[in-house]
């Protein structure tokens, strides 16, 4: 039909769809396909007062916090998954460096339920999780109540509706219909919970490729505001079928973010002084990228949609 | 890791990490659903699979369910080898749903601090009189609330083993027997073992931890000195069994360079 | 690993896993892949006092009702999707022929939510649907309550946990790990809501085929009690990639179920006097099967799980 | 279908079904999300796609979402042609979630009975003084509760157009203005048009139906005689516009043998 292409540059996608003060879902797929390229563009554009949402966004949240973009974090875990704590998080929470910041602590499940509630269009969803914990005591979006159909205590997890979800996917067409596979985490609910979706794709493919497998189309284009073609856009996190996890990069970041001066140097080098992901990858070097590439393809068996 | 324990293990045929992994693997019975986690628990799950629990099923919070070991060492649960040929790649909500249904037999956890009743804190650390912000729950609170039983692995240090944790990230037995049920948590759930760098603690029917076994070469006194409350000791205190040959060969095939089990 | 094969005959699967009086989910995928072969075996084995659950199971529920297997229906729609009303349903409700039967009327969404609640392990889920309707007034598993996080009215849909879900799929391995695609309906939640699952598969394939695409494995084997290899087991409903819908069969059933005597004749001919699905297909005839077969294959684009 | 209306249509270039499909298709604006249903509404959606609403998106209760017409005539929404090359094959819950989020602009419904305020009954039929059991809601109750607006297609017969339906399968405007909000249903939702075999009814701000247009050749008296309550008539009563050439050619390409539009 006559739908217009939604392809834009990363610069334009962030400029248009991530205003100051907005609530942004990043890193919905846990440790895979974290939208680092989008996060770095947010930093370069100096976005401020963001609420960042995501179960575990590995070091991306730490970087956004260290760069001063974030006034509030709604997450279950913030740090460096393979190396330990996040030093920017610590500085922000313990000493308000570079700015004061609010932490709203969720568990993975309650954050997933908050997004699921918004995706379902209900004000809350019930769970037994967090009963007896200080998460329940301290997070105002978790509230104990009595089940209307039984004598049980339950926790109402309030719906969380991000202004925008940035979802990194393996492939999409120019209208935003997206295939993703492997580690899904909260991506499907996240895309449906958000007011709009920015899809960042390793590959832009013909609509026929996406349409050939509508069960793998986990984000339909009509929910998508912008599509960015950004190969290697999730580095140093992995993208199944495209590249592996750059464990060393995470370790190096861990060391280089321990002191605030070192972090600022890191930020200059990897974010502020590169203009886009292409330059970032040039700096990373072809050898390193080559080493992360797919060594052995493993293609899914076909499903027949014929009749 | 206390220097004493480390010194001991170097005189044996296995490391302290290997002892802990073997002990953890024995907490998994055949056919059980296991919320696995990373590092030592992941290795323990894989050892269990290759020894006494071949039909155990592993769940990961990103939505992955696996019955076969990942072909490579993992740094995170979403590393590509953990997804390829998985039993299922579902959503986080799907594996958490299995947990909330009561289908998950055992969940593995770590923590910065634990207390007398097995409550865990992984949100706020205490070091040299300073309070430090730690990464937080992740799925730990969910697993602690909803698994039938939980097994916690952590370093046995006095400042981590506290009379009362300052923040309950993951509820254990709360204030003792009946507390979990009173909170509305599932009946007959909660921590079942703490596998530490010095020994194994279990929980009495009153919900309080007691020392069930000490690792080879570790004295009861050493354990008590490294515990921040008056720890009860089992009438029949055991020595934690050394890893069996099959367990050692299994974990060494999975982690040949002792990356996790140093 | 050392998991034992779960492959059994349809006879044994039904004999073992569908006792008299049990609550059985059938037809979770709406008008596709309705487990007619399983339903007919239930009739042949003379199962009694079943509660049948399913959003819309097309004429399968009508047949089970007419055969006297059903004491209670929990569904959103019972009839003949392409032809209209279900005459056995009418006779049972209006005149208790062949027996008295209770109808618990759901809407599609509230039935899906009842299964989703059970799949999530919570006693209920909230919705705005059915407010103001007589479904809410008459179905005791729908109850109005006040939102614990807002001032709104909501309906609590009580969790529904079938004793067994019979799910027809395109392919499975002998351990019950199943690939299904196309029309999913409530199959994923249904399989997780039920205490046990019987998978009926068009094809049994090597475990490697299923493992090659873990995102398409919507039913994991560890939830499955039995696997039945039953090609054409969903006829006259369609199975995407295997065969189309036999519209004429539905029309013929409509005519031949209008009078109770004709229905009994139909039942004799298509269910009671055939011993299994193979005989049923022989009776249907190779020409008719041929005409329903796939004329043009349409294979999904591969997803790369390599690294 | 009343004999009068049928006789009329045979003297024109289109059938009554085609007139109704054309009228229904005009209820869809470009870019809208539409809960489609089967039979005439499905055809109306496809006509709208090919004429004034090329960017409309169709949702089906089995979880299918389509932006392109199915390449073949469908008997059910899960017929294989409706799944191949769909925009998305999701779960029933997913499309119902879009509905509950308020994203669905218009939903099409049928019914056995309708009343003055657009409440629908598709659970119990009344024929010759007998009560008969009908198939039930399906997704109709959900669509009636949660779409921004609903469009109902049905045969205009006195025993179907009742002062008050005996059973509300799918809520319309209840007892009039404010009733939906009082029930807790979404603000500014509810039935917006009844497209019948005799004309088109719309709803006043008080929630009561009025006759907005009569089909060509149908008199107001005929409509009133076939309505079981005193039906209000618009001050400026229109004639339902005949199908445009583009609409007719579109629906005929999709249904060349008048299977649905006889």
């Amino acid at each position: 039909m006559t739908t217009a292409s939604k392809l834009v540059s990363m610069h334009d996608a962030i400029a248009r769809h991530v205003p100051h003060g907005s609530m942004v879902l990043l890193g919905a797929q846990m440790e895979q396909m974290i939208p680092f390229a989008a996060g770095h563009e947010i930093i370069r554009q100096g976005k401020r007062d963001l609420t960042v949402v995501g179960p575990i966004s590995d070091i991306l949240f730490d970087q956004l916090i260290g760069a001063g973009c974030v006034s509030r974090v709604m997450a279950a875990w913030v740090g460096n998954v393979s190396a330990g704590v996040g030093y920017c998080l610590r500085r922000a929470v313990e000493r308000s460096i570079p700015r004061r910041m609010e932490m709203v602590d969720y568990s993975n499940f309650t954050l997933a339920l908050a997004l699921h509630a918004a995706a379902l269009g209900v004000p809350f969803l019930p769970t037994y999780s967090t009963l007896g914990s200080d998460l329940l005591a301290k997070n105002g979006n978790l509230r104990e109540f009595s089940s209307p159909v039984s004598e049980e205590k339950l926790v109402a997890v309030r719906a969380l509706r991000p202004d925008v979800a940035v979802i990194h996917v393996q492939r999409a067409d120019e209208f935003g219909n997206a295939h993703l596979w492997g580690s899904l985490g909260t991506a499907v609910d996240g895309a449906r919970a958000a007011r709009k979706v920015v899809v960042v794709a390793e590959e832009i493919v013909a609509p026929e490729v996406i349409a050939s497998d509508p069960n793998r189309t986990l984000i339909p284009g009509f929910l998508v505001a912008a599509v960015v073609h950004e190969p290697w856009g999730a580095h140093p996190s992995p993208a199944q079928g495209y590249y592996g996890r750059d464990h060393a990069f995470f370790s190096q970041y861990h060391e280089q973010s321990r002191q605030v001066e070192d972090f600022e140097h890191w930020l200059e080098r990897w974010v502020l002084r590169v203009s886009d992901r292409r330059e970032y990858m040039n700096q990373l070097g072809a050898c390193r990228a080559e080493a992360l590439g797919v060594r052995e393809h493993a293609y899914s068996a076909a499903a027949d949609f014929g009749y | 890791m206390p220097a004493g324990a480390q010194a001991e293990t170097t005189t044996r045929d296995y490391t302290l990490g290997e002892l802990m992994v073997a002990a953890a693997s024995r907490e998994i019975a055949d056919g059980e659903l296991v919320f696995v986690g990373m590092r030592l628990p992941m290795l323990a799950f894989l050892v269990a699979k290759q020894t006494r629990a071949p039909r155990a099923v592993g769940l990961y919070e990103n939505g992955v369910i696996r019955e076969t070991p990942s072909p490579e060492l993992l740094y995170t649960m979403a590393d590509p080898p953990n997804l390829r040929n998985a039993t299922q790649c579902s959503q986080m909500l799907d594996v958490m749903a299995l947990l909330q249904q009561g289908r998950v037999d055992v969940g593995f956890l770590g923590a910065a601090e634990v207390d007398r009743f097995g409550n865990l804190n992984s949100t706020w650390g205490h070091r040299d009189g300073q309070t430090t912000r730690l990464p937080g729950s992740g799925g730990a609170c969910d697993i602690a609330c909803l698994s039938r039983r939980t097994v916690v692995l952590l370093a046995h240090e006095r400042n981590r083993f506290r009379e009362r944790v300052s923040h309950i990230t993951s509820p254990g037995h709360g204030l003792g027997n009946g507390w979990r049920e009173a909170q509305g948590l599932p009946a007959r759930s909660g921590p079942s073992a703490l596998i530490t760098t010095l020994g194994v603690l279990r929980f009495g029917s009153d919900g309080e931890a007691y020392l069930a076994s000490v690792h080879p070469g570790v004295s009861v006194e050493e354990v008590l000195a490294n515990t921040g409350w008056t720890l009860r000791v089992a009438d029949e205190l055991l020595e934690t069994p050394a890893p069996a040959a099959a367990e050692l060969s299994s974990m060494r095939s999975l982690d040949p360079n002792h990356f996790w089990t140093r």
Side-chain angles (χ1 to χ4, degrees), chain A residues 22-35:
Chain A
S22 53
M23 182 185 287
V24 192
L25 173 67
L26 295 161
Q29 292 107 308
M30 303 287 281
E31 298 93 344
Q32 272 239 7
M33 297 198 282
I34 300 168

Side-chain angles (χ1 to χ4, degrees), chain A residues 30-32 55 76-78 81-82 85 89-90 93-94 103 105-109 112-113 116 127-135 138 153 182-186 188-189 238 240 245 247 295-296 298, chain B residues 39 61-62 64 72 75-81 83-84 89-93 96-97 100 123-124 127 131-139 141-142 145-146 166-169 171 179 182-185:
Chain A
M30 303 287 281
E31 298 93 344
Q32 272 239 7
W77 197 97
V78 182
V81 173
S82 52
V85 301
L89 171 79
R90 283 198 48 190
V93 173
E94 297 167 18
M103 287 289 289
D105 276 304
Y106 283 85
S107 64
N108 276 337
F109 189 16
L113 285 170
H116 192 50
T127 180
Y128 299 104
S129 191
T130 74
L131 284 166
S133 77
D134 279 325
L135 277 72
K138 303 205 169 148
K153 289 183 190 180
S183 182
L184 300 181
T186 59
V188 176
D189 278 324
Q240 196 83 23
R245 189 171 189 269
H247 305 301
R295 297 188 301 278
E296 186 188 334
Chain B
R39 306 179 191 227
E61 294 160 55
N62 59 339
V64 171
E72 293 186 17
Y75 291 74
T76 82
M77 62 182 73
D79 283 5
L83 310 187
R84 180 175 170 190
C89 286
S90 63
Q91 303 177 45
M92 182 194 284
L93 200 71
M96 291 297 181
Q100 190 163 246
T123 305
W124 296 102
R127 196 190 291 180
T131 298
T132 64
R133 172 67 209 205
L134 303 175
S137 162
C141 177
D142 308 309
C145 287
L146 303 172
S166 59
H167 181 99
I168 299 183
T169 308
W179 181 89
Q183 303 304 307
L185 291 169

Side-chain angles (χ1 to χ4, degrees), chain A residues 16-301:
Chain A
R16 216 168 292 165
H17 300 296
V18 186
H20 299 302
S22 53
M23 182 185 287
V24 192
L25 173 67
L26 295 161
Q29 292 107 308
M30 303 287 281
E31 298 93 344
Q32 272 239 7
M33 297 198 282
I34 300 168
F36 276 98
H40 290 184
E41 185 59 29
I42 287 172
I43 293 172
R44 273 193 295 273
Q45 293 188 19
K47 300 294 184 181
R48 287 292 176 269
D49 297 322
L50 301 181
T51 293
V52 292
V53 178
I56 288 174
S57 297
D58 216 318
I59 59 175
L60 178 57
F61 278 4
D62 200 64
Q63 294 168 12
L64 289 162
I65 292 165
C69 304
V70 179
S71 62
R72 187 167 56 164
V73 177
M74 305 177 99
W77 197 97
V78 182
N80 184 319
V81 173
S82 52
V85 301
Y87 292 109
C88 293
L89 171 79
R90 283 198 48 190
R91 282 190 287 272
V93 173
E94 297 167 18
R95 295 185 280 142
S96 296
I97 296 171
R99 55 162 294 164
R100 278 201 61 198
M101 198 184 71
E102 181 189 356
M103 287 289 289
V104 185
D105 276 304
Y106 283 85
S107 64
N108 276 337
F109 189 16
T110 50
L111 188 67
L113 285 170
L115 295 171
H116 192 50
L120 279 175
V122 284
F124 81 97
L125 283 173
T127 180
Y128 299 104
S129 191
T130 74
L131 284 166
S133 77
D134 279 325
L135 277 72
L136 172 58
K138 303 205 169 148
N139 179 336
N141 294 325
L142 306 176
R143 185 181 300 180
E144 197 177 309
F145 76 111
S146 294
S147 165
V149 303
S150 59
E151 297 300 305
E152 298 167 294
K153 289 183 190 180
L154 286 164
V155 172
V157 181
R158 196 189 291 271
L160 201 53
R161 189 158 192 201
D163 295 308
V164 57
V166 183
I167 312 277
H168 194 98
V169 306
Q170 278 103 339
R171 64 187 175 211
D173 65 24
E174 60 179 332
F175 310 115
N177 298 294
H179 277 181
L180 52 163
W181 61 88
S183 182
L184 300 181
T186 59
V188 176
D189 278 324
R192 285 164 167 267
R195 290 174 209 280
K196 53 183 165 178
V197 180
V198 173
V199 161
V200 183
E202 287 294 327
E203 275 191 274
I204 301 297
V205 296
E208 294 73 26
V209 174
I210 303 298
S212 77
D213 193 352
N215 288 102
R216 206 180 304 279
T217 307
L218 300 184
I219 303 175
F222 66 87
L223 297 179
V224 173
V227 181
V228 180
H229 182 209
E230 195 78 300
W232 293 90
H235 177 273
S237 69
Q240 196 83 23
Y242 291 79
Y243 44 87
R245 189 171 189 269
D246 190 344
H247 305 301
F249 199 94
F250 285 90
S251 303
Q252 288 153 8
Y253 176 79
H254 191 63
E255 294 311 318
Q256 290 164 23
S257 60
R258 199 184 295 267
Q259 302 300 329
V260 69
E261 299 74 19
D262 292 344
F263 169 73
E264 278 163 8
H265 186 77
W266 185 96
L267 200 65
E268 280 288 331
R269 175 165 159 73
W270 287 103
V271 180
L272 300 175
R273 282 215 302 260
V274 297
S275 58
D276 58 17
R277 185 92 324 198
R278 190 183 302 248
E279 239 180 78
Y280 170 104
M281 288 306 296
N282 284 341
Q283 182 168 300
L284 190 74
C287 289
R288 193 153 173 182
E290 171 75 22
L292 295 171
V294 175
R295 297 188 301 278
E296 186 188 334
H297 295 284
Y299 296 108
S300 61

Side-chain angles (χ1 to χ4, degrees), chain B residues 6-245:
Chain B
Q6 189 128 47
E8 284 298 334
T9 58
T10 54
T11 66
R12 299 177 198 278
D13 296 344
Y14 52 85
T15 67
L16 174 59
E18 287 174 335
L19 180 71
M20 290 174 72
V21 166
S25 80
R26 293 181 208 123
E27 300 293 320
I28 301 169
D30 197 19
E32 289 196 326
L33 263 64
V34 184
F35 234 101
V36 179
M38 283 290 104
R39 306 179 191 227
L40 296 191
M42 191 185 70
L43 217 44
F45 172 70
L46 299 177
V47 169
K49 285 286 297 179
Q50 298 193 345
T51 56
R52 70 182 59 68
R55 295 180 302 115
V57 177
L59 309 183
Y60 300 83
E61 294 160 55
N62 59 339
V64 171
I65 302 174
R66 276 195 87 88
E67 288 165 277
T68 54
S70 157
E72 293 186 17
L73 191 71
L74 302 178
Y75 291 74
T76 82
M77 62 182 73
D79 283 5
N82 207 38
L83 310 187
R84 180 175 170 190
N85 292 329
T87 299
Q88 186 176 9
C89 286
S90 63
Q91 303 177 45
M92 182 194 284
L93 200 71
D94 295 316
V95 290
M96 291 297 181
L98 291 170
L99 184 65
Q100 190 163 246
Q101 282 186 316
R103 294 194 201 244
V104 174
D105 299 286
V106 55
F108 285 93
L109 298 172
E113 297 179 352
V114 64
D115 70 17
R116 185 191 277 271
F117 294 107
N119 303 300
L120 305 178
N121 172 17
S122 50
T123 305
W124 296 102
H126 300 90
R127 196 190 291 180
D128 311 327
Q130 286 216 313
T131 298
T132 64
R133 172 67 209 205
L134 303 175
S137 162
C141 177
D142 308 309
I143 293 167
C145 287
L146 303 172
S147 321
R148 285 163 185 253
R149 55 187 203 278
T150 50
V151 175
V152 187
L153 280 79
L154 79 175
H156 207 135
E157 300 166 9
R158 194 173 174 87
N159 64 349
R160 292 177 181 272
F161 278 64
R162 300 170 80 90
E163 170 70 36
R164 186 84 188 274
V165 293
S166 59
H167 181 99
I168 299 183
T169 308
S170 305
H173 294 292
L175 300 170
N177 186 29
W179 181 89
R180 287 180 68 89
E181 289 77 1
Q183 303 304 307
L185 291 169
R188 292 177 301 285
S189 63
S192 103
L194 302 177
I195 296 171
T196 83
T197 44
L198 299 178
V200 176
L201 282 63
R202 296 194 179 275
F203 292 84
S205 59
D206 58 359
E208 185 175 331
Y210 66 88
L211 183 63
S213 76
V214 288
H215 295 338
V218 175
S219 69
V220 171
E221 291 66 36
E222 192 179 348
V223 174
L224 298 183
N226 282 284
T227 304
W229 72 88
T230 310
L231 178 64
R232 295 188 306 187
V233 178
D235 292 342
E236 296 185 43
L237 183 68
L238 306 173
E239 184 175 85
T240 311

